[in-house]
Amino acid sequence: MGIITIAIGDALLTSMWVFSMPLLKIFTSKIVGFLGAQTLPLATLMVSTVLVSILVMIFSFIGNVFGGASFNPAASMTFHVAGLKKNDSILSMAVRFPAQAAGGVAGVKAALGLIPAEYSNTLTGPSLKVDLHTGAVAEGLFTFGRSLALLLIMFKGPKNGWVKQWLVSLATAILVLTGSRFTGAPMNPASAFGWAYVNNRHNSWELYYVYWIGALFGATLGAWVFRFMVSLPLPPPTKQKKA
């Protein structure tokens, strides 16, 4: 499929993903309450990771329909640098990233418009709780950890697809919990952009330095380390057609 089709899929998936995150918090709380497991320390973590795993498997199927669309620029960068997406290029990233950012804005606006006010506590985006440079390093490290875990689990982990996805969700949840004291650890530049846009912070250096540059650098580093660990050959340079 062409890059435009993939970019359309990127925007659609990102909007759906960002919209679903507040709903995930609501459903997790309802399920834990229904099970009477509020006092169990790991109940919320277990329920949320199962729900996220289901969502990701559904979104992965939709992404494949669009030729490999994704709801996270950091994940797109991870697979590109790791050489696992043969049709990707820097040019394609330049088209897909804005589409994913636009999807992030659409998802946040949909969530704010459709989710009842009584659940307003779930309608919050990431926020920087440390200084700018510490935040950029922290977001880079969290995204590095998630990208490396994603690649190792998906390509060197258990063969069962459900178990793989649950392990990725678990690793992501642990990083988010750890990062809540620093940047919120969205590890998704498009999601961060969506929340920054509706709060009129989309032109801030904080957004691009911490949540874009930091995250994409971490994703790139994670892919490089993965290549080194599994000794993947570098992809051949793209040949330019002569006019």
Side-chain angles (χ1 to χ4, degrees):
M1 292 188 180
I3 185 60
I4 300 302
T5 301
I6 298 176
I8 292 172
D10 287 333
L12 176 63
L13 278 182
T14 307
S15 64
M16 292 168 59
W17 179 260
V18 174
F19 175 74
S20 68
M21 286 301 96
L23 294 178
L24 177 75
K25 297 177 183 177
I26 296 170
F27 282 117
T28 297
S29 178
K30 296 290 186 183
I31 292 172
V32 171
F34 175 77
L35 296 175
Q38 298 94 326
T39 58
L40 298 178
L42 297 179
T44 298
L45 178 65
M46 296 302 293
V47 172
S48 64
T49 52
V50 170
L51 293 178
V52 167
S53 298
I54 294 171
L55 276 177
V56 171
M57 294 184 79
I58 294 172
F59 283 23
S60 296
F61 174 78
I62 298 173
N64 289 334
V65 171
F66 281 92
S70 169
F71 53 82
N72 187 342
S76 300
M77 179 63 78
T78 297
F79 287 111
H80 167 65
V81 175
L84 299 169
K85 295 287 186 179
K86 301 302 182 183
N87 296 325
D88 276 351
S89 65
I90 295 299
L91 178 60
S92 71
M93 297 293 106
V95 175
R96 297 181 63 187
F97 285 178
Q100 289 166 325
V105 174
V108 172
K109 287 192 170 185
L112 293 173
L114 297 175
I115 295 177
E118 63 183 290
Y119 299 112
S120 59
N121 62 308
T122 67
L123 299 173
T124 58
S127 60
L128 187 63
K129 300 176 178 66
V130 294
D131 67 87
L132 198 64
H133 299 303
T134 302
V137 172
E139 188 67 12
L141 288 174
F142 296 136
T143 310
F144 163 79
R146 190 206 182 257
S147 298
L148 183 58
L150 171 66
L151 292 171
L152 288 175
I153 292 170
M154 297 306 294
F155 295 97
K156 295 295 180 179
K159 294 182 179 181
N160 185 280
W162 168 256
V163 175
K164 283 184 178 183
Q165 189 52 63
W166 182 79
L167 288 174
V168 172
S169 299
L170 180 62
T172 303
I174 292 172
L175 288 167
V176 170
L177 290 173
T178 305
S180 61
R181 299 182 293 110
F182 297 90
T183 63
M187 298 171 286
N188 185 333
S191 174
F193 182 86
W195 288 104
Y197 184 88
V198 300
N199 290 304
N200 200 29
R201 292 188 290 104
H202 58 290
N203 290 322
S204 68
W205 176 235
E206 171 189 311
L207 169 67
Y208 296 103
Y209 182 43
V210 175
Y211 296 103
W212 279 88
I213 296 175
L216 293 178
F217 181 79
T220 300
L221 186 60
W224 281 343
V225 171
F226 173 75
R227 295 186 68 94
F228 175 77
M229 292 174 68
V230 301
S231 300
L232 284 175
L234 289 171
T238 302
K239 294 183 179 179
Q240 299 292 332
K241 293 183 178 179
K242 296 183 179 179

